[in-house]
Amino acid sequence: MSGDEAAAAVGAEAADGEEVERLKTEGNKLFAEGHHPDAIKVYTQAIQADPLNTALYTNRSLCHIKMETHGLAIADAATAIELDPKCVKAYYRLGSAYMGLGKYKDARTNYRKACQLKPNDRDAALRLKECDKQVKREAFEKAIEAGGDEAPPVSESVHIETIVVEDSYDGPRLSWPITAEFVKELTEHLRAQKALHRRYVFEILREAENILKRLPSVFDVPIPPGGTFSVCGDTHGQFYDLLNIFTINGWPSPENPYLFNGDYVDRGSFSFEVVLTMLAMKCLLPDHFHLTRGNHESKTMNKMYGFEGEVKHKYSEQTFSYFSEVFNWLPLGCVLGGKVFIVHGGLFSRDDVTLDELRALNRNREPPEEGLMSEMLWSDPQPQPGRSPSKRGVGLSFGPDVTQSFLERNGLKLVVRSHEVKDAGYEVEAGGRLVTVFSAPNYCDQMGNMGALLRFDSDCEWKAVQFEAVPHPPIRPMQYASMGSLFGF
């Protein structure tokens, strides 16, 4: 190589280095502003230019953690460790991603490695301590189950009729059958950040559980001729945005039926208010207000993302246990108008799944890590045909051909699912055969996204109704999560 050629090569390498640094700075800025999908795109461009740069992988991994795509976060952190086995940030990212999935032993292994590499890091030590606590808790619970000493369901152990409502209580008073007036009073009471008496909370939980128990795991709902039906996605504890949905789209009624498609709780710090309102609505309108289960209606997610801490703060551990019991009875899906399959996450690792098989699933349990129930709660669509490992680390990614095959096999025309933030509040995929709807605008006070709901007519044709976030009291997301700082809150 001549001197001129060597100089040119050095200059090109310097230019590439400057471009990578520029992209990294741009990605960092986008991340700080909460634009995580855009930050991922920029970090990916930088990685393509410099595939040996560990910082780019750990930065992109953190973006994936924020977006709950923990499978991709794990892959990026693992790549960084392959490049540099002493990269402390990479072990942090692995620990955080595994914690997000509730895999505490794996998280502990990686936080322990981070502490070994950086012994004086107080943050790593705190995270390791939390992992140890969770691992011991899991071991204790398994030991109790193995010994046959499991506590009876809360619904059998709590004696609601003995709970006295004090004369000093100034909130709404519940008598049965529940009335629309009570539900309206309840929502206004909760809007004012006041507590419903715990006796009434238990009564609503008991009645809602009795109603849900009677449903199959996938239920059928008709759309009356000439009528409409509204389907909403994730609300994630954003109570004031839920009330705004009812303001702009009408309050639930026999003439204005709704389905909410899971993930009522966690992240947002008004999760109790959201889910109690929804269960009260279910008691009032059992045939016109419908609920399906999301992946966050589970103990593992609730421990990580705030609902457990919130209910214990506002009420008690017993109250949280009762919610967990009710969550286990939430149906896993719905067939609307005989043509639209509604499910929180997505489709399946098998081609031969039928609606009858799904209707018969045993759902009264915590979600397993694999199988049909897990896939219904966790899976996501992908643009390419076929199936791929899940970007979340649970469930799978499925292509448009999988969607088409499922619809044809079961005589359906559309899949509606939720489970993912969308900038417009909804997104159409799979050649129009699949729609994602997400109803938590400006998710976690960070994402800047619109919220949306889908309004179906009696021919199962739909249109989207979009809305922006509304103000709420100054309580930050993840306020009650024991490890909220892990996710940047």
Side-chain angles (χ1 to χ4, degrees):
M1 181 183 294
S2 68
D4 289 343
E5 288 172 333
V10 170
E13 184 176 337
D16 288 344
E18 290 175 3
E19 176 62 7
V20 168
E21 191 60 32
R22 184 192 69 78
L23 288 169
K24 180 182 175 184
T25 300
E26 182 183 349
N28 293 348
K29 181 174 182 292
L30 288 166
F31 175 83
E33 294 171 350
H35 302 305
H36 304 126
D38 293 332
I40 286 171
K41 291 177 184 177
V42 173
Y43 288 138
T44 300
Q45 292 176 33
I47 287 170
Q48 290 168 349
D50 185 2
L52 302 181
N53 190 323
T54 58
L56 298 174
Y57 291 101
T58 57
N59 287 5
R60 191 170 70 175
S61 180
L62 183 56
C63 288
H64 285 304
I65 290 168
K66 295 285 285 186
M67 294 181 66
E68 298 184 39
T69 51
H70 296 114
L72 296 178
I74 289 167
D76 273 347
T79 299
I81 289 169
E82 288 178 11
L83 294 171
D84 178 6
K86 294 185 177 181
C87 180
V88 176
K89 274 191 178 181
Y91 291 105
Y92 273 11
R93 301 293 184 256
L94 279 175
S96 300
Y98 282 123
M99 279 291 282
L101 292 170
K103 296 184 177 181
Y104 302 115
K105 288 183 179 179
D106 292 325
R108 180 176 65 176
T109 297
N110 286 283
Y111 283 138
R112 185 175 288 154
K113 184 66 176 179
C115 287
Q116 291 169 354
L117 291 169
K118 199 173 181 181
N120 296 323
D121 191 308
R122 183 171 177 271
D123 186 46
L126 287 173
R127 297 179 186 206
L128 178 58
K129 183 178 179 181
E130 177 65 20
C131 286
D132 281 331
K133 174 182 167 185
Q134 296 297 342
V135 170
K136 289 175 182 176
R137 176 191 58 77
E138 283 188 335
F140 177 72
E141 291 176 354
K142 286 180 180 179
I144 290 177
E145 290 175 9
D149 297 327
E150 189 173 354
V154 181
S155 55
E156 296 178 8
S157 60
V158 65
H159 303 292
I160 297 176
E161 281 69 28
T162 65
I163 300 174
V164 176
V165 180
E166 301 83 0
D167 291 340
S168 58
Y169 170 70
D170 63 354
R173 293 178 178 259
L174 174 59
S175 59
W176 296 93
I178 195 169
T179 64
E181 289 73 21
F182 171 82
V183 175
K184 283 289 184 72
E185 288 179 25
L186 170 65
T187 57
E188 290 308 308
H189 192 70
L190 297 177
R191 188 201 297 268
Q193 298 184 269
K194 297 179 180 179
L196 183 68
H197 196 280
R198 67 188 183 97
R199 170 170 176 152
Y200 301 143
V201 174
F202 283 143
E203 287 188 14
I204 290 170
L205 287 168
R206 179 174 62 184
E207 179 64 16
E209 182 176 24
N210 289 335
I211 293 169
L212 295 171
K213 279 182 177 180
R214 297 194 289 266
L215 297 172
S217 289
V218 172
F219 61 95
D220 293 82
V221 175
I223 305 176
T228 62
F229 192 102
S230 298
V231 178
C232 300
D234 303 36
T235 45
H236 273 302
Q238 297 186 198
F239 178 63
Y240 296 85
D241 293 308
L242 172 67
L243 297 183
N244 185 49
I245 289 173
F246 296 149
T247 298
I248 64 177
N249 194 58
W251 279 78
S253 70
E255 297 74 35
N256 191 31
Y258 279 82
L259 182 145
F260 281 83
N261 195 26
D263 279 13
Y264 316 114
V265 301
D266 287 339
R267 293 290 197 181
S269 292
F270 305 96
S271 293
F272 171 84
E273 289 79 3
V274 167
V275 72
L276 188 72
T277 296
M278 290 189 177
L279 293 176
M281 289 281 190
K282 184 64 181 174
C283 295
L284 175 66
L285 301 164
D287 297 323
H288 305 284
F289 191 87
H290 306 281
L291 302 170
T292 54
R293 189 174 188 174
N295 64 302
H296 276 267
E297 277 70 60
S298 74
K299 288 181 181 178
T300 300
M301 292 294 103
N302 297 162
K303 287 181 185 299
M304 281 300 304
Y305 292 94
F307 184 59
E308 179 183 37
E310 179 182 343
V311 177
K312 287 181 177 179
H313 174 80
K314 294 176 178 177
Y315 287 87
S316 66
E317 183 171 357
Q318 184 185 53
T319 308
F320 170 72
S321 296
Y322 208 156
F323 273 106
S324 297
E325 183 179 326
V326 174
F327 288 168
N328 283 351
W329 284 108
L330 286 167
L332 305 176
C334 169
V335 176
L336 177 63
K339 292 295 180 184
V340 181
F341 180 62
I342 303 171
V343 65
H344 179 73
L347 301 182
F348 310 101
S349 54
R350 291 173 21 218
D351 286 327
D352 59 348
V353 176
T354 65
L355 291 175
D356 285 342
E357 183 178 8
L358 300 178
R359 290 185 179 105
L361 282 175
N362 171 27
R363 70 183 187 274
N364 182 26
R365 54 181 173 155
E366 288 300 308
E369 291 191 8
E370 58 185 16
L372 296 180
M373 181 174 174
S374 175
E375 291 163 1
M376 294 177 80
L377 299 178
W378 281 96
S379 293
D380 296 288
Q382 64 182 22
Q384 67 271 25
R387 296 176 173 90
S388 303
S390 169
K391 62 188 179 183
R392 299 177 188 268
V394 187
L396 73 148
S397 296
F398 60 94
D401 55 327
V402 175
T403 300
Q404 182 174 351
S405 174
F406 174 80
L407 292 174
E408 290 176 352
R409 176 177 292 275
N410 290 283
L412 303 166
K413 76 172 195 176
L414 182 68
V415 172
V416 173
R417 43 91 62 180
S418 302
H419 195 42
E420 287 185 283
V421 183
K422 298 297 179 183
D423 286 344
Y426 74 102
E427 184 174 57
V428 181
E429 300 174 72
R433 297 182 182 90
L434 182 145
V435 184
T436 297
V437 59
F438 192 85
S439 302
N442 193 27
Y443 181 43
C444 293
D445 292 349
Q446 289 186 355
M447 301 299 286
N449 59 290
M450 299 286 286
L453 60 87
L454 308 181
R455 280 184 68 90
F456 285 86
D457 64 23
S458 54
D459 295 321
C460 288
E461 299 297 323
W462 63 273
K463 67 176 182 178
V465 178
Q466 296 172 288
F467 46 90
E468 295 182 341
V470 297
H472 64 74
I475 301 176
R476 61 181 175 83
M478 300 281 280
Q479 173 72 33
Y480 303 101
S482 62
M483 293 286 283
S485 61
L486 185 72
F487 303 97
F489 292 93

